[in-house]
Amino acid sequence: MMIGLPRLGLTRRTRTSIALGTTALAASLVLTACGGSSSADSGSGKLKVVASFYPMEFLAQQIGKEHVAVTDLTAAGVEPHDLELTAKQVGTIQKADAIIYLKGLQPTVDQAVAQSSSKHKIDATAAGPLVDHHLDEGTDDAGADGHKHEDPAGDPHIWLDPTRYAAIANSVGDEFSKADPAHAEDYRKNTDELVTRLTALDQEFRTGLKDTRTKTFVTSHAAFGYLADHYGLTQVAINGVDPESEPTPARLAAVQKAAKDNGVTTVFFETLVSPKLADTVAKDLGLKTAVLDPLEGVKDPAKDDYLTVMRQNLANLRAALGAPAAATPATAEATTGAATDAATPAPAN
């Protein structure tokens, strides 16, 4: 769940993204006269896959492995909300055999995908309904209750719930099998293996967050609504979905009250956005700061991946929420999973 705080819109960013997307799409018409194919028979023989940002790329690499050539539209270390497609990138989308994206997160990607003739467009939001986490972003129009209401698409950060992420993985595996039937058995095997690892991760979170001194955490970016819902926590966000928006005085006052009322010790910030605001709030309240990574990207794919970063998130949450030190002994399964993750080569963008 999430504390209902005053919220801000994304209208300026959205308008900019749409304008940029229109420009890139127009340029792509010059570069590409035809769309993507539905086979893996051309060039290297690999399925040409486009992923919109890191969580989608990770799925493509883990499920496709040696049978796919994956292009990530969002470079490592870049905040995906800021993505501005180039004409070349739009051309790559046009030629893709399969596209994995999350509708509503990156407007320029949505537009380019809509123009692509690929038969295998995998929208991550189709794996399960999105939830309105009371962010009230995406429109300037006030509802009947006097508050602004967010775009009906809802909160996009579904990959931070491992069970939802596993559902997306199954969709990717199914679509890869349709696009490249010759390797369907491998895609299904790889999908099953990944889902098993995500299920183990989910159990680690359930166990690790079961007995904590408080269930409330403060974060600079409202990215953790699904994680909070799934594990019985309460997210108090300084900002809404847009990590670079400016909080109102009323929002800051509400955050401060929630922190004091719930014994919060830590203000979380993220890796791809300046920690200045979180530092300021923490200083005002006499609290510590720590990283809670929304995994919209990874700075160093050679060192980290989805599973390693999520486990670090769990460790940081346990410390901030006051979990008993002995609540989650390292299991053989978790250790094996971590070792496997570390041994997996980093995907090439």
Side-chain angles (χ1 to χ4, degrees), residues 17-290:
S17 296
I18 290 174
L20 289 166
T22 301
T23 301
L25 284 173
S28 75
L29 296 178
V30 178
L31 293 178
T32 58
C34 60
S37 68
S38 59
S39 69
D41 294 333
S42 61
S44 66
K46 296 186 177 183
L47 195 71
K48 298 188 295 296
V49 178
V50 168
S52 59
F53 70 125
Y54 176 73
M56 306 298 105
E57 180 201 10
F58 181 74
L59 293 181
Q61 294 285 4
Q62 295 296 309
I63 294 170
K65 294 191 176 179
E66 71 274 14
H67 302 308
V68 298
V70 181
T71 299
D72 188 349
L73 298 174
T74 307
V78 173
E79 214 285 329
H81 296 269
D82 294 331
L83 180 65
E84 302 173 6
L85 287 181
T86 65
K88 181 178 180 180
Q89 287 177 310
V90 176
T92 299
I93 293 172
Q94 294 285 327
K95 298 174 182 177
D97 296 316
I99 306 166
I100 313 174
Y101 72 114
L102 199 157
K103 188 175 183 180
L105 182 68
Q106 298 165 298
T108 57
V109 173
D110 293 351
Q111 292 180 36
V113 172
Q115 294 295 321
S116 172
S117 61
S118 171
K119 296 179 181 179
H120 305 284
K121 302 174 183 180
I122 309 163
D123 174 11
T125 67
L130 299 188
V131 176
D132 179 351
H133 284 120
H134 310 294
L135 300 175
D136 287 349
E137 295 184 350
T139 177
D140 291 325
D141 300 322
D145 58 2
H147 297 290
K148 294 179 181 179
H149 290 278
E150 69 173 334
D151 186 283
D155 180 359
H157 300 89
I158 48 180
W159 62 91
L160 292 170
D161 174 348
T163 62
R164 284 178 172 265
Y165 198 46
I168 302 169
N170 279 317
S171 297
V172 172
D174 290 344
E175 204 62 31
F176 279 11
S177 296
K178 295 175 184 176
D180 183 17
H183 300 110
E185 185 176 345
D186 286 346
Y187 295 137
R188 177 42 52 195
K189 175 178 175 290
N190 295 342
T191 301
D192 290 344
E193 289 176 352
L194 178 58
V195 168
T196 296
R197 295 162 76 191
L198 292 173
T199 301
L201 178 68
D202 176 48
Q203 187 56 52
E204 290 176 45
F205 268 81
R206 288 180 181 276
T207 303
L209 299 174
K210 182 179 179 181
D211 299 310
T212 57
R213 179 183 52 77
T214 181
K215 296 295 182 182
T216 299
F217 64 97
V218 172
T219 178
S220 61
H221 177 200
F224 303 93
Y226 293 102
L227 184 150
D229 287 350
H230 191 59
Y231 300 111
L233 306 178
T234 297
Q235 171 186 225
V236 179
I238 300 171
N239 281 332
V241 166
D242 181 356
E244 296 178 355
S245 61
E246 292 294 331
T248 64
R251 181 187 288 264
L252 290 173
V255 170
Q256 291 173 347
K257 184 178 187 303
K260 291 178 180 178
D261 290 350
N262 293 280
V264 170
T265 64
T266 305
V267 176
F268 285 112
F269 65 95
E270 60 185 78
T271 55
L272 301 182
V273 177
S274 169
K276 182 177 179 180
L277 181 59
D279 287 340
T280 300
V281 172
K283 184 177 180 180
D284 289 345
L285 293 172
L287 304 179
K288 299 179 293 185
T289 59

